[in-house]
Amino acid sequence: MAMGKLNPTVSVGELTPMAAVGELTRLVWGGLLLAAPGRVLRAMGGHPSSTPLVILRVLGVRHLVQAAVLLRWPTPEAFRLGAVADGVHALTAVALTADRRRRRVAVTDAAIAIGWTVHDGIAASRAGARSRR
Protein backbone atom coordinates (compact mmCIF):
# COMPACT_ATOMS: atom_id res chain seq x y z
CA MET A 1 0.00 0.00 0.00
CA ALA A 2 1.40 3.40 -0.97
CA MET A 3 2.21 5.89 1.77
CA GLY A 4 -0.70 8.25 2.44
CA LYS A 5 -3.33 6.03 0.77
CA LEU A 6 -5.96 4.28 2.80
CA ASN A 7 -6.87 0.67 2.42
CA PRO A 8 -10.20 0.72 0.51
CA THR A 9 -11.70 -1.77 2.96
CA VAL A 10 -11.17 0.66 5.85
CA SER A 11 -14.09 3.03 6.30
CA VAL A 12 -13.13 6.54 7.34
CA GLY A 13 -15.88 8.17 9.34
CA GLU A 14 -17.30 11.61 8.94
CA LEU A 15 -16.15 14.23 11.42
CA THR A 16 -19.11 15.73 13.26
CA PRO A 17 -19.00 19.41 14.24
CA MET A 18 -18.90 18.46 17.94
CA ALA A 19 -15.98 16.10 17.35
CA ALA A 20 -14.13 18.71 15.29
CA VAL A 21 -14.48 21.36 18.01
CA GLY A 22 -13.40 18.85 20.65
CA GLU A 23 -10.32 17.77 18.76
CA LEU A 24 -9.35 21.33 17.84
CA THR A 25 -9.66 22.13 21.57
CA ARG A 26 -7.44 19.12 22.28
CA LEU A 27 -4.86 20.52 19.83
CA VAL A 28 -4.82 23.81 21.76
CA TRP A 29 -4.58 21.98 25.10
CA GLY A 30 -1.75 19.80 23.84
CA GLY A 31 0.05 22.83 22.48
CA LEU A 32 -0.26 24.63 25.82
CA LEU A 33 1.08 21.62 27.70
CA LEU A 34 4.00 21.38 25.31
CA ALA A 35 4.85 25.09 25.08
CA ALA A 36 4.07 26.36 28.59
CA PRO A 37 3.84 23.47 31.06
CA GLY A 38 4.87 25.61 34.04
CA ARG A 39 2.12 28.15 33.42
CA VAL A 40 -0.49 25.42 32.97
CA LEU A 41 0.66 23.73 36.17
CA ARG A 42 0.51 26.98 38.15
CA ALA A 43 -2.96 27.73 36.74
CA MET A 44 -4.07 24.32 38.01
CA GLY A 45 -2.76 25.12 41.48
CA GLY A 46 0.47 23.18 41.25
CA HIS A 47 4.12 24.03 41.53
CA PRO A 48 6.69 23.16 38.87
CA SER A 49 8.96 21.75 41.57
CA SER A 50 6.38 19.10 42.56
CA THR A 51 5.65 17.82 39.05
CA PRO A 52 8.34 17.33 36.43
CA LEU A 53 7.51 19.57 33.49
CA VAL A 54 8.71 16.90 31.10
CA ILE A 55 5.65 14.81 32.09
CA LEU A 56 3.36 17.64 30.99
CA ARG A 57 5.26 18.03 27.73
CA VAL A 58 4.94 14.30 27.00
CA LEU A 59 1.23 14.55 27.76
CA GLY A 60 1.03 17.54 25.41
CA VAL A 61 2.61 15.52 22.61
CA ARG A 62 0.16 12.68 23.27
CA HIS A 63 -2.77 15.08 22.98
CA LEU A 64 -1.39 16.59 19.76
CA VAL A 65 -0.91 13.17 18.17
CA GLN A 66 -4.30 11.93 19.35
CA ALA A 67 -6.07 15.03 17.98
CA ALA A 68 -4.25 14.76 14.65
CA VAL A 69 -5.21 11.09 14.30
CA LEU A 70 -8.84 11.70 15.24
CA LEU A 71 -9.16 14.69 12.92
CA ARG A 72 -7.69 12.68 10.05
CA TRP A 73 -9.43 9.34 10.75
CA PRO A 74 -12.63 10.05 12.70
CA THR A 75 -13.80 6.44 12.87
CA PRO A 76 -15.76 4.97 15.77
CA GLU A 77 -12.81 2.66 16.48
CA ALA A 78 -10.32 5.54 16.62
CA PHE A 79 -12.55 7.50 19.00
CA ARG A 80 -13.01 4.39 21.16
CA LEU A 81 -9.23 3.96 21.39
CA GLY A 82 -8.96 7.65 22.28
CA ALA A 83 -11.56 7.16 25.01
CA VAL A 84 -9.53 4.25 26.40
CA ALA A 85 -6.34 6.34 26.43
CA ASP A 86 -8.14 9.20 28.16
CA GLY A 87 -9.84 6.82 30.60
CA VAL A 88 -6.51 5.28 31.61
CA HIS A 89 -5.12 8.80 32.03
CA ALA A 90 -8.09 9.68 34.27
CA LEU A 91 -7.51 6.59 36.42
CA THR A 92 -3.83 7.41 36.89
CA ALA A 93 -4.72 10.99 37.82
CA VAL A 94 -7.24 9.73 40.38
CA ALA A 95 -4.52 7.50 41.85
CA LEU A 96 -2.27 10.57 42.23
CA THR A 97 -4.85 12.23 44.50
CA ALA A 98 -3.42 10.08 47.30
CA ASP A 99 -0.39 12.40 47.31
CA ARG A 100 -1.46 15.44 49.33
CA ARG A 101 1.04 17.72 47.56
CA ARG A 102 -0.35 16.83 44.12
CA ARG A 103 -4.03 16.42 45.02
CA ARG A 104 -5.38 19.67 43.54
CA VAL A 105 -3.56 19.21 40.25
CA ALA A 106 -4.48 15.51 40.14
CA VAL A 107 -8.19 16.24 40.68
CA THR A 108 -8.15 18.91 37.96
CA ASP A 109 -6.25 16.63 35.60
CA ALA A 110 -8.63 13.75 36.30
CA ALA A 111 -11.62 15.98 35.55
CA ILE A 112 -10.09 17.08 32.25
CA ALA A 113 -9.26 13.48 31.30
CA ILE A 114 -12.78 12.35 32.20
CA GLY A 115 -14.11 15.13 29.98
CA TRP A 116 -12.01 13.89 27.06
CA THR A 117 -13.15 10.31 27.76
CA VAL A 118 -16.81 11.34 27.59
CA HIS A 119 -16.17 13.45 24.48
CA ASP A 120 -14.48 10.56 22.68
CA GLY A 121 -17.22 8.13 23.73
CA ILE A 122 -19.94 10.42 22.37
CA ALA A 123 -17.92 11.06 19.20
CA ALA A 124 -17.48 7.29 18.71
CA SER A 125 -21.22 6.68 18.93
CA ARG A 126 -22.01 9.58 16.59
CA ALA A 127 -19.35 8.52 14.08
CA GLY A 128 -20.79 5.00 14.20
CA ALA A 129 -24.32 6.30 13.63
CA ARG A 130 -23.18 8.34 10.63
CA SER A 131 -21.31 5.42 9.11
CA ARG A 132 -24.46 3.23 9.31
CA ARG A 133 -26.55 5.69 7.29
Side-chain angles (χ1 to χ4, degrees):
M1 175 169 43
M3 188 72 163
K5 293 191 178 191
L6 291 175
N7 181 339
T9 62
V10 175
S11 172
V12 175
E14 191 176 327
L15 191 62
T16 65
M18 184 220 49
V21 169
E23 295 313 317
L24 291 172
T25 303
R26 186 190 299 271
L27 279 174
V28 171
W29 179 242
L32 283 170
L33 291 173
L34 186 61
R39 284 186 176 180
V40 171
L41 189 59
R42 280 188 293 280
M44 293 170 68
H47 304 285
S49 61
S50 67
T51 302
L53 298 181
V54 71
I55 292 172
L56 295 178
R57 286 191 173 105
V58 169
L59 181 58
V61 170
R62 197 259 305 168
H63 278 297
L64 291 172
V65 169
Q66 186 172 343
V69 168
L70 292 173
L71 286 167
R72 177 66 178 97
W73 294 288
T75 64
E77 296 80 12
F79 280 109
R80 278 189 216 101
L81 285 173
V84 168
D86 291 318
V88 169
H89 178 153
L91 289 173
T92 60
V94 167
L96 287 174
T97 63
D99 182 346
R100 211 178 75 242
R101 293 174 301 133
R102 295 184 176 143
R103 186 166 294 142
R104 184 173 175 191
V105 172
V107 168
T108 304
D109 189 43
I112 291 168
I114 289 167
W116 290 123
T117 304
V118 170
H119 167 269
D120 287 349
I122 292 169
S125 67
R126 289 186 178 173
R130 284 185 173 222
S131 67
R132 288 188 293 272
R133 288 184 194 168

